[in-house]
Amino acid sequence: EDQVTQSPEALRLQEGESSSLNCSYTVSGLRGLFWYRQDPGKGPEFLFTLYSAGEEKEKERLKATLTKKESFLHITAPKPEDSATYLCAVQLFLNDYKLSFGAGTTVTVRA
Amino acid sequence: SQTIHQWPATLVQPVGSPLSLECTVEGTSNPNLYWYRQAAGRGLQLLFYSIGIDQISSEVPQNLSASRPQDRQFILSSKKLLLSDSGFYLCAWSVGQGSAAFFGQGTRLTVV
């Protein structure tokens, strides 16, 4: 059973068209939730860590938020260079060395 | 600053041949080290992780093994590759507990 579900699988946006990606998790005892960006053929690049419900983090056009059962990654006025696959991962208090990843959302931003 | 090196970037190997992928981390001591595999269009599957030089945990029983001969070196091996071992292999490191992992650039393995 998947612990982390990301939606949608793919998202096509026009430049400047803001949108949100969802990451929902079924686990209990969440230690942290992590967002990564992955470009084709590259390793994931760390973006944010969120530890508690209500927490928000921002970086340029990206803002991540966390509730008790899901996280959102908001992309505001995206540019073509924001095109990538965005991965979220959860870490549990039960084993806070491991990250369990979702399948990702592939975002394509057209100029 | 910390850096992670993973090689080779691309590898094509015949079925039944051995495998050795190497990963080293610079700029930190006693890192946690990880091997992940990513199938096309899928998320990252954790294969092995190590929180110390003599502590390696296996997450998925399979045709692969991992070793940590030095504090900042992590090796993924196989004695005989299967077609199903094809994929994108990623090494990562973190420090302490509850922290993010930082990834290398990956190795694209194709078993033919």
Side-chain angles (χ1 to χ4, degrees):
Chain A
E1 182 182 349
D2 289 341
Q3 295 182 319
V4 184
T5 304
Q6 292 189 246
S7 61
E9 290 185 13
L11 189 60
R12 294 176 65 86
L13 302 172
Q14 200 66 34
E15 184 172 4
E17 178 189 1
S18 301
S19 189
S20 295
L21 285 55
N22 177 263
C23 171
S24 63
Y25 53 94
T26 58
V27 298
S28 57
L30 182 76
R31 176 75 151 91
L33 186 139
F34 302 80
W35 281 99
Y36 288 82
R37 169 195 169 120
Q38 186 176 25
D39 293 309
K42 305 285 188 183
E45 174 190 346
F46 170 69
L47 293 173
F48 305 110
T49 306
L50 301 165
Y51 288 112
S52 55
E55 190 175 358
E56 297 183 352
K57 294 276 180 71
E58 281 189 73
K59 180 180 179 179
E60 296 181 355
R61 294 175 293 283
L62 301 177
K63 183 168 84 170
T65 61
L66 181 66
T67 70
K68 291 208 172 197
K69 281 300 175 188
E70 59 189 349
S71 176
F72 293 93
L73 183 66
H74 308 277
I75 309 179
T76 302
K79 298 182 177 182
E81 53 262 43
D82 294 320
S83 297
T85 296
Y86 292 87
L87 301 167
C88 77
V90 299
Q91 191 176 72
L92 307 181
F93 279 107
L94 193 63
N95 184 328
D96 55 6
Y97 295 103
K98 293 168 50 176
L99 293 179
S100 298
F101 282 82
T105 294
T106 299
V107 175
T108 304
V109 183
R110 295 165 291 173
Chain B
S1 64
Q2 300 89 353
T3 56
I4 180 169
H5 303 279
Q6 186 180 344
W7 67 93
T10 306
L11 194 58
V12 180
Q13 292 284 97
V15 169
S17 63
L19 173 72
S20 180
L21 301 181
E22 190 165 340
C23 170
T24 59
V25 179
E26 295 178 356
T28 186
S29 296
N30 196 29
N32 306 315
L33 296 172
Y34 306 84
W35 280 110
Y36 283 87
R37 178 170 61 199
Q38 187 174 33
R42 303 285 298 276
L44 277 67
Q45 178 188 34
L46 180 62
L47 302 175
F48 300 93
Y49 69 97
S50 171
I51 64 172
I53 198 162
D54 292 321
Q55 298 173 277
I56 298 175
S57 298
S58 173
E59 288 295 295
V60 182
Q62 57 199 333
N63 188 36
L64 302 169
S65 62
S67 61
R68 186 169 177 172
Q70 299 179 44
D71 180 47
R72 290 171 289 176
Q73 184 184 26
F74 207 25
I75 296 173
L76 183 69
S77 302
S78 173
K79 292 183 179 177
K80 288 185 178 182
L81 284 169
L82 306 172
L83 286 174
S84 57
D85 291 323
S86 295
F88 191 45
Y89 288 82
L90 289 154
C91 181
W93 67 272
S94 68
V95 175
Q97 296 169 262
S99 56
F102 299 90
F103 287 82
Q105 289 303 295
T107 296
R108 174 73 58 191
L109 172 66
T110 303
V111 182
V112 296

